Amino acid sequence: MATSALSPARPVFVVGCPRSGTTLLQLMLHAHPRIALPPETRFVLPAYERRLSFGDLREPLNRAGLAQWITGRRETRFHELGLDAEVVAGRIADGPPTLGSALGIALKAYAESHGKARWGDKRPAYALHVEEILRLFPDAQFVHLVRDGRDCAASLLGMPWWHRGFHEAVATWAQVMDVTRRYAGRLGPGAWHEVRFEDLVADPETQLRLICAYLGEEYDPAMTRPHRLARTAVPARKTWHRRTRGALDTSRAGSWQQRLTPDQIRLADAVLGDRLARYGYEPSGAVRPDPAELLRYRRVFALRRAAHAKRRLLDRLTRLREPGPVAAARSGYEVTA
């Protein structure tokens, strides 16, 4: 059933492991006549993490400072949204006194600039920060894109910005799968929807119809032609997303078999076996990896889990010092369409 233009439109967040196809899904959703998902920004999580530094947002000067921090710094990538920074900053300064409202106003402005009724955001990092997103936007809907962990790892190794090696790449996928599985169970089908990358590229219409049904929107055939938006919705500097500018390509699904070494395949199968099977990915049948490599991986994964647990603890301590609520006031970010 389609969402009425007059009914509340929940924000949409696309999450997933890096190199799982989230940019492709972003473009597909952005092609919908009612949904706008911007290029990846860098202001939602950083603003949340330093929220105490903005002070009590019930003070107009503090809201103005936050507005300038969001719209006036190149580090936030606000400039890539093609919006008038001064206008958006003014709306934030005049808006409701919560961090979620300020961030929602910026994302809402992007949707309005495209004539869209619903807004959202896409960033793989959100997969490990679902709790923070929910604190900012309690009514958020999440779409989790899952891709074979071996393909994600192989793709990460080819990225110019990835310098952490194979063990870290595999551990990243494993951690994302573990964390998102907990939220899938906690949030349920009204706020969490999962789709496999391989299914999305093989049969996009079927999968997009399911996503639209979950979001309460009508399916639109334009969603299967995301390449038409790639030049305007994906910054040119992101050369690693060049495949989004062509027709849907299924050739990269399962390419880990050619892109990973036999030793890498053995390690991935050993440490990801249960997780891969849970999502319907077949193991290669490789023999057990070298014990030293297995030990090295376990250390990397343990460090990632410890770092995540530390972030969760620090977040809870920070909450005790918040001067007021952080959740968005719906009146502050709804799109009037």
Side-chain angles (χ1 to χ4, degrees):
M1 181 177 180
T3 299
S4 166
L6 299 177
S7 66
R10 299 162 65 184
V12 181
F13 287 86
V14 173
V15 303
C17 180
R19 303 306 296 167
S20 61
T22 55
T23 297
L24 174 65
L25 182 54
Q26 169 215 343
L27 293 174
M28 288 175 159
L29 290 173
H30 189 59
H32 191 281
R34 281 178 41 86
I35 302 171
L37 291 187
E40 282 189 26
T41 61
R42 288 292 187 275
F43 55 76
V44 174
L45 289 181
Y48 178 83
E49 290 166 356
R50 58 174 298 167
R51 59 196 181 279
L52 296 184
S53 69
F54 300 122
D56 189 340
L57 295 180
R58 289 171 291 191
E59 297 292 332
L61 285 178
N62 290 338
R63 288 202 303 277
L66 169 60
Q68 180 60 32
W69 185 91
I70 293 173
T71 64
R73 302 169 62 252
R74 294 193 69 81
E75 292 87 347
T76 65
R77 297 185 184 170
F78 179 87
H79 62 281
E80 293 186 345
L81 302 185
L83 302 173
D84 187 315
E86 185 175 347
V87 170
V88 175
R91 291 172 62 179
I92 291 172
D94 293 337
T98 71
L99 180 60
S101 294
L103 299 170
I105 286 169
L107 295 169
K108 167 195 172 183
Y110 181 79
E112 288 179 331
S113 72
H114 288 270
K116 305 293 187 71
R118 293 187 71 172
W119 59 267
D121 202 7
K122 184 279 291 188
R123 190 180 172 192
Y126 293 156
L128 298 180
H129 295 274
V130 173
E131 189 167 337
E132 291 92 323
I133 299 300
L134 285 171
R135 289 204 72 215
L136 294 167
F137 313 109
D139 59 345
Q141 286 185 285
F142 295 88
V143 182
H144 177 211
L145 188 60
V146 179
R147 186 183 184 187
D148 190 318
R150 295 161 295 190
D151 274 333
C152 284
S155 186
L156 279 170
L157 294 181
M159 293 299 101
W161 41 265
W162 184 263
H163 309 291
R164 303 178 189 175
F166 178 71
H167 295 76
E168 187 81 24
V170 174
T172 297
W173 188 84
Q175 185 180 33
V176 167
M177 292 303 104
D178 292 348
V179 171
T180 53
R181 186 186 184 199
R182 292 196 294 271
Y183 282 105
R186 170 183 155 187
L187 297 179
W192 191 273
H193 180 84
E194 287 183 338
V195 58
R196 295 198 328 165
F197 168 81
E198 295 80 6
D199 298 332
L200 182 64
V201 296
D203 188 2
E205 180 175 341
T206 296
Q207 296 304 318
L208 290 169
R209 283 186 179 276
L210 291 172
I211 292 173
C212 286
Y214 156 70
L215 296 176
E217 300 287 351
E218 295 285 355
Y219 166 75
D220 192 284
M223 300 174 74
T224 63
R225 301 184 293 273
H227 59 282
R228 295 184 176 184
L229 300 175
R231 293 189 181 277
T232 56
V234 179
R237 62 181 174 79
K238 294 190 173 185
T239 56
W240 51 91
H241 289 319
R242 63 186 180 276
R243 288 180 179 273
T244 61
R245 299 186 178 184
L248 292 178
D249 180 8
T250 62
S251 66
R252 303 299 272 185
S255 63
W256 59 266
Q257 298 176 70
Q258 293 77 44
R259 302 170 73 188
L260 296 180
T261 69
D263 286 342
Q264 290 172 332
I265 293 173
R266 281 193 286 270
L267 179 65
D269 269 18
V271 300
L272 301 180
D274 291 343
R275 299 179 184 91
L276 291 170
R278 187 178 302 130
Y279 289 97
Y281 299 115
E282 293 291 334
S284 68
V287 298
R288 294 284 294 177
D290 182 286
E293 289 299 293
L294 191 58
L295 178 61
R296 181 182 172 190
Y297 167 81
R298 287 172 175 165
R299 286 173 176 167
V300 169
F301 185 66
L303 287 173
R304 288 190 63 89
R305 276 202 309 190
H308 185 70
K310 182 179 179 180
R311 285 197 302 271
R312 298 259 48 83
L313 176 60
L314 291 176
D315 179 65
R316 282 165 172 73
L317 293 175
T318 301
R319 294 184 195 190
L320 300 175
R321 300 164 56 201
E322 292 172 351
V326 301
R330 176 168 292 282
S331 60
Y333 68 69
E334 265 191 11
V335 176
T336 53

